[in-house]
Amino acid sequence: MNWYAPGITGSGMDCLKAKARREELQYMSYRDMLTTLYNRNKYIQVVDSAQGKTVRRTGVAYIDINGLNQTNDSYGHEAGDKLIVNTGQSIIDVLPENAYRVGRDEFVIICFDMEEEIARKKLLTICENIAEKNVKFPMGVIWRESLDFLENMLKEADDLIYVEKKKYYKNTDILKYFIK
Protein backbone atom coordinates (compact mmCIF):
# COMPACT_ATOMS: atom_id res chain seq x y z
CA MET A 1 0.00 0.00 0.00
CA ASN A 2 1.41 3.37 -0.98
CA TRP A 3 0.86 6.38 1.18
CA TYR A 4 0.33 9.63 -0.65
CA ALA A 5 0.79 13.11 0.73
CA PRO A 6 0.21 15.90 -1.78
CA GLY A 7 3.31 17.98 -2.34
CA ILE A 8 5.67 15.54 -0.65
CA THR A 9 7.82 13.46 -2.94
CA GLY A 10 9.50 10.19 -2.06
CA SER A 11 12.72 11.89 -0.96
CA GLY A 12 10.73 14.52 0.95
CA MET A 13 8.92 11.76 2.79
CA ASP A 14 12.25 10.12 3.56
CA CYS A 15 13.47 13.40 5.06
CA LEU A 16 10.37 13.63 7.25
CA LYS A 17 10.83 10.06 8.42
CA ALA A 18 14.51 10.70 9.14
CA LYS A 19 13.65 13.85 11.09
CA ALA A 20 11.00 12.00 13.10
CA ARG A 21 13.49 9.22 13.84
CA ARG A 22 16.13 11.73 14.99
CA GLU A 23 13.58 13.36 17.30
CA GLU A 24 12.60 9.97 18.68
CA LEU A 25 16.25 9.04 19.30
CA GLN A 26 16.88 12.42 20.95
CA TYR A 27 13.89 11.84 23.24
CA MET A 28 15.04 8.33 24.08
CA SER A 29 18.60 9.46 24.80
CA TYR A 30 17.43 11.98 27.40
CA ARG A 31 14.37 10.28 28.93
CA ASP A 32 14.07 7.45 31.39
CA MET A 33 11.75 4.93 29.77
CA LEU A 34 10.23 3.72 33.06
CA THR A 35 9.29 7.12 34.54
CA THR A 36 9.55 9.48 31.51
CA LEU A 37 11.62 11.84 33.67
CA TYR A 38 14.88 13.10 32.25
CA ASN A 39 17.64 10.50 32.64
CA ARG A 40 21.25 10.56 33.79
CA ASN A 41 22.46 11.65 30.30
CA LYS A 42 20.37 14.83 30.47
CA TYR A 43 21.36 15.38 34.10
CA ILE A 44 25.05 15.25 33.18
CA GLN A 45 24.44 17.64 30.29
CA VAL A 46 22.68 20.14 32.59
CA VAL A 47 25.35 19.90 35.29
CA ASP A 48 28.14 20.26 32.71
CA SER A 49 26.44 23.30 31.18
CA ALA A 50 26.48 24.99 34.61
CA GLN A 51 30.20 24.30 34.96
CA GLY A 52 32.14 27.52 35.50
CA LYS A 53 29.01 29.66 35.74
CA THR A 54 27.56 31.43 38.73
CA VAL A 55 24.09 30.05 39.35
CA ARG A 56 21.55 32.15 41.20
CA ARG A 57 18.54 31.26 43.35
CA THR A 58 18.91 27.54 42.93
CA GLY A 59 17.50 24.65 44.89
CA VAL A 60 18.42 21.00 44.53
CA ALA A 61 16.90 17.89 46.03
CA TYR A 62 18.05 14.29 46.04
CA ILE A 63 15.46 11.59 46.61
CA ASP A 64 16.27 7.94 47.19
CA ILE A 65 13.64 5.24 47.67
CA ASN A 66 14.03 3.21 50.86
CA GLY A 67 13.54 -0.54 50.75
CA LEU A 68 13.60 -1.07 46.98
CA ASN A 69 15.75 -4.21 47.26
CA GLN A 70 13.47 -5.67 49.92
CA THR A 71 10.42 -4.89 47.77
CA ASN A 72 12.02 -6.56 44.75
CA ASP A 73 13.02 -9.60 46.83
CA SER A 74 9.68 -9.96 48.62
CA TYR A 75 7.17 -8.93 45.95
CA GLY A 76 9.07 -9.03 42.66
CA HIS A 77 10.59 -6.46 40.34
CA GLU A 78 7.19 -5.36 39.07
CA ALA A 79 6.39 -4.12 42.59
CA GLY A 80 9.78 -2.38 42.75
CA ASP A 81 9.13 -0.75 39.39
CA LYS A 82 5.80 0.48 40.73
CA LEU A 83 7.62 2.24 43.59
CA ILE A 84 9.92 3.90 41.06
CA VAL A 85 7.04 4.89 38.76
CA ASN A 86 4.96 6.25 41.68
CA THR A 87 7.90 8.34 42.86
CA GLY A 88 8.57 9.60 39.35
CA GLN A 89 4.93 10.49 38.79
CA SER A 90 4.83 12.41 42.07
CA ILE A 91 7.73 14.50 40.81
CA ILE A 92 6.35 14.93 37.28
CA ASP A 93 3.08 16.26 38.68
CA VAL A 94 4.93 19.20 40.26
CA LEU A 95 8.27 19.81 38.50
CA PRO A 96 8.34 17.78 35.27
CA GLU A 97 11.12 19.70 33.52
CA ASN A 98 13.41 19.97 36.53
CA ALA A 99 13.73 16.31 37.49
CA TYR A 100 16.04 13.44 36.62
CA ARG A 101 16.19 9.76 37.42
CA VAL A 102 19.94 9.41 37.90
CA GLY A 103 20.12 5.89 39.27
CA ARG A 104 18.00 2.87 39.91
CA ASP A 105 16.04 4.46 42.76
CA GLU A 106 17.68 7.88 42.87
CA PHE A 107 16.13 11.10 41.65
CA VAL A 108 17.49 14.65 41.45
CA ILE A 109 15.51 17.85 41.15
CA ILE A 110 17.26 21.08 40.15
CA CYS A 111 15.32 24.33 40.39
CA PHE A 112 17.29 27.08 38.69
CA ASP A 113 16.32 30.72 39.20
CA MET A 114 13.51 30.01 41.65
CA GLU A 115 12.66 31.79 44.88
CA GLU A 116 13.47 29.68 47.93
CA GLU A 117 9.91 29.77 49.26
CA ILE A 118 8.47 28.60 45.93
CA ALA A 119 11.08 25.83 45.60
CA ARG A 120 10.43 24.59 49.14
CA LYS A 121 6.64 24.60 48.63
CA LYS A 122 6.99 22.59 45.42
CA LEU A 123 9.36 20.12 47.09
CA LEU A 124 6.98 19.78 50.04
CA THR A 125 4.16 19.00 47.61
CA ILE A 126 6.34 16.34 45.99
CA CYS A 127 7.06 14.83 49.43
CA GLU A 128 3.36 14.75 50.26
CA ASN A 129 2.54 13.16 46.88
CA ILE A 130 5.19 10.46 47.31
CA ALA A 131 4.14 9.74 50.90
CA GLU A 132 0.49 9.37 49.79
CA LYS A 133 1.66 6.53 47.55
CA ASN A 134 3.22 4.75 50.56
CA VAL A 135 6.76 5.17 49.29
CA LYS A 136 9.41 5.60 51.99
CA PHE A 137 12.22 7.95 51.03
CA PRO A 138 14.79 10.36 52.36
CA MET A 139 15.19 13.72 50.65
CA GLY A 140 18.25 15.93 50.83
CA VAL A 141 17.41 19.55 50.02
CA ILE A 142 19.80 22.49 49.58
CA TRP A 143 18.99 26.00 48.36
CA ARG A 144 21.48 28.78 47.63
CA GLU A 145 21.05 32.39 46.61
CA SER A 146 24.24 32.19 44.56
CA LEU A 147 26.87 29.54 43.94
CA ASP A 148 29.79 28.90 41.64
CA PHE A 149 29.90 25.10 41.73
CA LEU A 150 26.61 23.29 41.25
CA GLU A 151 28.38 19.95 41.72
CA ASN A 152 29.24 20.87 45.33
CA MET A 153 25.64 21.67 46.07
CA LEU A 154 24.46 18.41 44.53
CA LYS A 155 27.03 16.47 46.58
CA GLU A 156 25.84 18.21 49.74
CA ALA A 157 22.22 17.24 49.04
CA ASP A 158 23.27 13.66 48.27
CA ASP A 159 25.21 13.47 51.55
CA LEU A 160 22.07 14.46 53.46
CA ILE A 161 20.32 11.36 52.14
CA TYR A 162 22.87 9.02 53.67
CA VAL A 163 22.28 10.49 57.13
CA GLU A 164 18.58 9.67 56.71
CA LYS A 165 19.31 6.25 55.17
CA LYS A 166 21.42 5.31 58.19
CA LYS A 167 18.50 6.17 60.47
CA TYR A 168 16.06 4.15 58.34
CA TYR A 169 18.26 1.06 58.21
CA LYS A 170 19.68 1.42 61.72
CA ASN A 171 18.35 -1.90 63.01
CA THR A 172 19.08 -3.98 59.94
CA ASP A 173 22.19 -5.62 58.57
CA ILE A 174 21.71 -3.58 55.40
CA LEU A 175 23.30 -0.61 57.20
CA LYS A 176 26.78 -1.79 56.22
CA TYR A 177 26.00 -0.88 52.60
CA PHE A 178 25.30 2.75 53.48
CA ILE A 179 28.25 3.43 55.74
CA LYS A 180 31.22 4.62 53.76
Side-chain angles (χ1 to χ4, degrees), residues 31-57:
R31 290 290 178 171
D32 173 61
M33 292 297 110
L34 185 61
T35 64
T36 71
L37 289 168
Y38 285 122
N39 64 18
R40 187 172 193 81
N41 293 335
K42 181 68 171 179
Y43 168 77
I44 290 169
Q45 181 185 48
V46 167
V47 172
D48 285 351
S49 71
Q51 186 81 334
K53 297 178 185 172
T54 299
V55 202
R56 305 221 183 273
R57 301 176 347 172

Side-chain angles (χ1 to χ4, degrees), residues 36-177:
T36 71
L37 289 168
Y38 285 122
N39 64 18
R40 187 172 193 81
N41 293 335
K42 181 68 171 179
Y43 168 77
I44 290 169
Q45 181 185 48
V46 167
V47 172
D48 285 351
S49 71
Q51 186 81 334
K53 297 178 185 172
T54 299
V55 202
R56 305 221 183 273
R57 301 176 347 172
T58 299
V60 300
Y62 257 84
I63 299 171
D64 191 305
I65 298 172
N66 284 335
L68 182 64
N69 285 336
Q70 294 90 332
T71 299
N72 285 337
D73 293 345
S74 299
Y75 305 104
H77 289 275
E78 189 174 314
D81 285 352
K82 188 171 181 178
L83 286 177
I84 293 167
V85 168
N86 284 342
T87 303
Q89 189 59 54
S90 297
I91 297 168
I92 287 169
D93 290 345
V94 181
L95 289 166
E97 296 301 312
N98 302 76
Y100 312 83
R101 181 174 171 214
V102 296
R104 195 170 58 114
D105 61 349
E106 296 173 344
F107 303 84
V108 175
I109 301 166
I110 304 174
C111 301
F112 290 109
D113 196 27
M114 188 179 289
E115 295 293 331
E116 181 176 12
E117 184 178 330
I118 293 169
R120 291 198 183 272
K121 282 182 182 177
K122 289 182 180 283
L123 293 173
L124 180 59
T125 300
I126 289 169
C127 288
E128 291 167 349
N129 291 350
I130 295 171
E132 283 175 9
K133 295 176 179 169
N134 295 317
V135 177
K136 306 291 185 227
F137 63 97
M139 180 187 269
V141 177
I142 305 288
W143 190 90
R144 298 281 187 266
E145 183 65 37
S146 177
L147 66 136
D148 292 326
F149 298 100
L150 180 62
E151 296 88 355
N152 293 348
M153 189 175 170
L154 290 161
K155 171 84 170 89
E156 210 177 321
D158 188 32
D159 289 345
L160 290 174
I161 284 180
Y162 286 96
V163 172
E164 294 303 313
K165 281 267 194 209
K166 286 177 189 177
K167 290 178 190 175
Y168 180 80
Y169 290 107
K170 185 177 182 182
N171 295 320
T172 69
D173 59 359
I174 263 182
L175 178 62
K176 64 186 174 191
Y177 297 110

Side-chain angles (χ1 to χ4, degrees), residues 3-14:
W3 187 74
Y4 175 73
I8 299 178
T9 64
S11 64
M13 186 59 75
D14 291 341

